[in-house]
Amino acid sequence: PIFEIELKLIEKYYRRNGFHNASAEVDTIYFDDDKYGDVLRVIVNEGPQTIISSVELEAIGNLPDKLQEGLHYINGVPAPADLNNLGSDIYLIRTRCWEDGLLKVAIEPVMSFYATEDSLIHSAELLYKITAGSAYSVSEIRISGNVQTQTEIIEREIKLVNGELFKWSAVEETQLRILETSLFRDVSFTPVEIDTSNATVVMEVQVVERQPSYIEFGLGIGSRERIRVLAAWGNNNLFGTGQKLRLKTRTWLNYEDVQQLSSGTPEPELNYRYELLHTHPRLFDSFWLDTRLFKDKETRGESGLNLFRTGFSLGSRVSTSLYSISNVVLKVEEVEPSLHPDAKLQLSEAFEDSELQKSGTRSIAWNYMIEKRNNPIRPAKGFLSNFEIETAGGILGGDNSFVKSRFDYHTYRKTVLGGTLASRVSLGAVRPYGDSLSRGADGVPYQERFFAGGVSTVRGYQERSLGPQITDQAELDALQLASDVPLPDRPARGGNYLLLTNVEWRVPLPAPGKWNI
């Protein structure tokens, strides 16, 4: 019985591709000594193939323009034996009619078949009989299913307008906006009252709420971050207003031999990052306002520095389309460097001579991202592009003045050999100006420079170990590199420019691949 089902699937495949009289049957069964099992020989009788020769629309009433654009079943395409296979095309036509308010549109497909001079080819004419009906306007919008969320939070996401024509694109945009709030697991639209005499409809928006509060926990190990612990608490619906509050901590232990200069076994260095994030959705209807406070400590063994940072950012973002986000952020940050504890004692004098001090940076940045990957977690096709430009100092004040820009472009495509070919190009530039210009290349703060090396840039090299490595003192003097990097051997001090390209082939492993490895 199982194999009979398989034969039916073969026949169904052929009939969907125009072979309406196709049949599949088992011809012979024999035992193969080399393969240690039965071999089944299946015979498929295809018969003639039916090809669509024309697609026409027969309408009662006024229809929108360009209804046939983007249809799968067009001239020259094999005609399916089962009209149910036309479902996706019928849905496309119906939604285009809904865009003009034609809620009661009726679509009936009719297919006529004809013989041709070629006995192996038949012809089919596809006709859609469409009754348009009246264009309906929205008379009322009702909301149900919300218990914790205030009704006005849902109302501000609705793009359908009372008294105006029903538009399917407004329904789709509303569903997306409501789900983007992360307050609901599902949202649906139902016409609950249709007045045919006045051509009006009452729409009900039904939502299914999520649990607003959550707790997250994570534990990891790595070559640089030997042990890391992550924890977070959040609420996506403060007091039913749709505002979000998130507290996140990330703590990790580093075991670093600072450029192989430590006198003994490296001691573990504790690093941390604490973040408090508040989000106010739909400020002034369109903008999301993000406020972030943070405090962190980061071990930078490649330079012999530890960086202590405290700051906050205030950002406004808006979705300019279904695939793009524009973001403007004002940032205030204070950085205090200190000598890495594993560095040799004789480096203390070099650190003191560098005159590194606590400094503050005030900047404003604009970021524009286009996301067209099929899956943000494990993309197999599409692309992601991101552009950011930031200016610090000047009228904003602070101790550092610079202009920084960066562009990243990622592409993903499937290969004929299987797996995914992923590629990336990253371009970056940062230059000081104003009072910072007199400090030469060091006018750009250490943490704002570009680095390469490590798992996210160039694998096989230590984290942030690539970049300018100048040891000739005369050249250092000529470049005005008053070093904030006290280590004399192979210092990775960061660069003012970046050009990085990566190409990699991601292939699932044969056995563990079923676990997405």
Side-chain angles (χ1 to χ4, degrees):
I2 295 178
F3 193 70
E4 289 178 0
I5 295 175
E6 300 293 331
L7 293 177
K8 293 297 182 184
L9 290 175
I10 294 174
E11 292 176 352
K12 185 177 180 179
Y13 169 80
Y14 272 90
R15 292 174 183 178
R16 188 171 63 248
N17 286 277
F19 298 96
H20 296 181
N21 299 319
S23 62
E25 58 184 10
V26 177
D27 179 53
T28 55
I29 302 176
Y30 62 91
F31 185 82
D32 190 319
D33 292 329
D34 295 332
K35 298 181 179 179
Y36 301 101
D38 291 331
V39 176
L40 284 73
R41 184 169 181 265
V42 176
I43 296 294
V44 177
N45 297 307
E46 293 180 341
Q49 186 180 28
T50 303
I51 304 296
I52 295 176
S53 60
S54 68
V55 179
E56 302 291 340
L57 303 180
E58 181 183 283
I60 300 176
N62 296 323
L63 293 179
D65 296 331
K66 301 179 181 180
L67 277 185
Q68 293 193 42
E69 284 190 2
L71 297 182
H72 174 73
Y73 290 102
I74 58 177
N75 294 356
V77 173
D82 188 349
L83 292 181
N84 287 326
N85 289 315
L86 300 174
S88 59
D89 283 357
I90 292 174
Y91 179 77
L92 182 58
I93 295 173
R94 181 176 288 117
T95 54
R96 286 175 175 168
C97 291
W98 288 347
E99 183 66 12
D100 280 16
L102 305 176
L103 282 180
K104 301 290 286 183
V105 63
I107 304 171
E108 178 188 359
V110 178
M111 194 173 295
S112 304
F113 305 98
Y114 304 94
T116 66
E117 295 179 356
D118 187 344
S119 60
L120 295 180
I121 297 294
H122 287 178
S123 174
E125 294 180 355
L126 177 58
L127 173 67
Y128 290 103
K129 295 183 177 180
I130 303 176
T131 304
S134 302
Y136 282 76
S137 299
V138 179
S139 61
E140 184 184 353
I141 299 174
R142 300 173 184 171
I143 298 173
S144 64
N146 58 310
V147 178
Q148 303 174 87
T149 309
Q150 298 175 10
T151 301
E152 54 265 30
I153 301 302
I154 304 173
E155 289 176 337
R156 71 185 180 195
E157 308 295 340
I158 296 176
K159 288 301 180 180
L160 283 173
V161 180
N162 286 345
E164 293 189 5
L165 201 66
F166 177 90
K167 296 179 71 69
W168 177 247
S169 60
V171 172
E172 291 185 310
E173 184 180 357
T174 299
Q175 288 178 318
L176 180 62
R177 287 169 62 97
I178 291 177
L179 291 174
E180 273 185 339
T181 65
S182 68
L183 303 178
F184 310 99
R185 289 191 291 109
D186 191 26
V187 56
S188 61
F189 279 74
T190 306
V192 292
E193 294 180 15
I194 298 179
D195 186 343
T196 55
S197 59
N198 295 313
T200 59
V201 60
V202 176
M203 297 298 300
E204 182 178 33
V205 182
Q206 299 170 312
V207 297
V208 180
E209 291 182 315
R210 293 180 183 271
Q211 177 60 245
S213 297
Y214 61 90
I215 295 175
E216 296 176 354
F217 179 79
L219 180 67
I221 58 175
S223 57
R224 183 178 174 89
E225 299 176 1
R226 296 298 177 90
I227 301 174
R228 59 179 176 267
V229 179
L230 302 92
W233 170 89
N235 189 302
N236 287 328
N237 197 7
L238 284 174
F239 312 113
T241 63
Q243 297 183 51
K244 306 174 191 296
L245 187 66
R246 176 181 173 89
L247 176 63
K248 180 180 179 181
T249 68
R250 185 174 186 267
T251 306
W252 65 98
L253 279 178
N254 271 27
Y255 284 80
E256 279 192 292
D257 188 346
V258 183
Q259 297 292 346
Q260 295 80 47
L261 294 178
S262 58
S263 55
T265 303
E267 295 293 328
E269 185 77 5
L270 184 67
N271 290 259
Y272 54 81
R273 181 173 178 87
Y274 307 128
E275 284 184 298
L276 180 64
L277 174 65
H278 175 265
T279 298
H280 192 300
R282 304 301 178 203
L283 190 68
F284 308 119
D285 184 56
S286 299
F287 295 93
W288 292 56
L289 185 66
D290 298 315
T291 306
R292 185 189 305 269
L293 302 175
F294 70 89
K295 181 179 181 61
D296 67 26
K297 174 202 169 187
E298 182 182 9
T299 300
R300 290 272 186 143
E302 73 282 346
S303 65
L305 296 177
N306 281 350
L307 300 181
F308 296 83
R309 299 190 300 175
T310 305
F312 81 91
S313 65
L314 186 66
S316 178
R317 55 190 164 98
V318 60
S319 295
T320 54
S321 73
L322 289 175
Y323 307 104
S324 61
I325 294 177
S326 181
N327 192 11
V328 176
V329 183
L330 175 66
K331 295 186 284 186
V332 176
E333 180 178 281
E334 187 176 82
V335 180
E336 181 176 5
S338 66
L339 188 66
H340 193 291
D342 281 349
K344 290 183 177 179
L345 293 178
Q346 57 262 38
L347 295 176
S348 298
E349 184 177 346
F351 175 74
E352 293 175 1
D353 291 342
S354 67
E355 297 182 352
L356 276 179
Q357 299 177 354
K358 181 188 297 185
S359 65
T361 300
R362 302 174 188 175
S363 67
I364 187 167
W366 173 65
N367 177 275
Y368 185 73
M369 183 181 70
I370 300 176
E371 165 70 275
K372 283 197 173 183
R373 295 177 294 180
N374 66 325
N375 185 328
I377 306 300
R378 298 180 65 246
K381 61 181 181 180
F383 72 89
L384 169 69
S385 67
N386 190 70
F387 174 75
E388 181 171 4
I389 184 166
E390 178 181 8
T391 179
I395 62 174
L396 296 173
D399 301 312
N400 302 297
S401 299
F402 61 87
V403 177
K404 182 178 182 180
S405 63
R406 178 160 182 163
F407 174 73
D408 296 278
Y409 185 75
H410 307 247
T411 63
Y412 308 87
R413 64 189 65 186
K414 295 182 179 179
T415 70
V416 294
L417 298 177
T420 300
L421 189 68
S423 61
R424 172 178 65 177
V425 175
S426 296
L427 302 171
V430 56
R431 296 296 297 170
Y433 73 93
D435 294 338
S436 297
L437 197 58
S438 61
R439 303 202 302 266
D442 287 330
V444 177
Y446 178 75
Q447 68 277 6
E448 298 294 342
R449 301 174 196 165
F450 297 105
F451 291 86
V455 295
S456 62
T457 53
V458 185
R459 297 190 182 121
Y461 291 86
Q462 292 183 0
E463 196 78 17
R464 295 189 292 261
S465 64
L466 300 178
Q469 299 177 0
I470 302 170
T471 57
D472 183 82
Q473 188 60 46
E475 189 173 358
L476 285 169
D477 294 340
L479 293 174
Q480 296 181 316
L481 298 181
S483 182
D484 58 356
V485 184
L487 300 180
D489 285 347
R490 297 186 291 109
R493 61 184 328 282
N496 286 33
Y497 299 95
L498 170 72
L499 170 59
L500 174 69
T501 61
N502 301 95
V503 178
E504 63 184 28
W505 185 23
R506 302 174 180 175
V507 184
L509 297 177
K514 60 183 178 180
W515 292 293
N516 294 329
I517 297 177

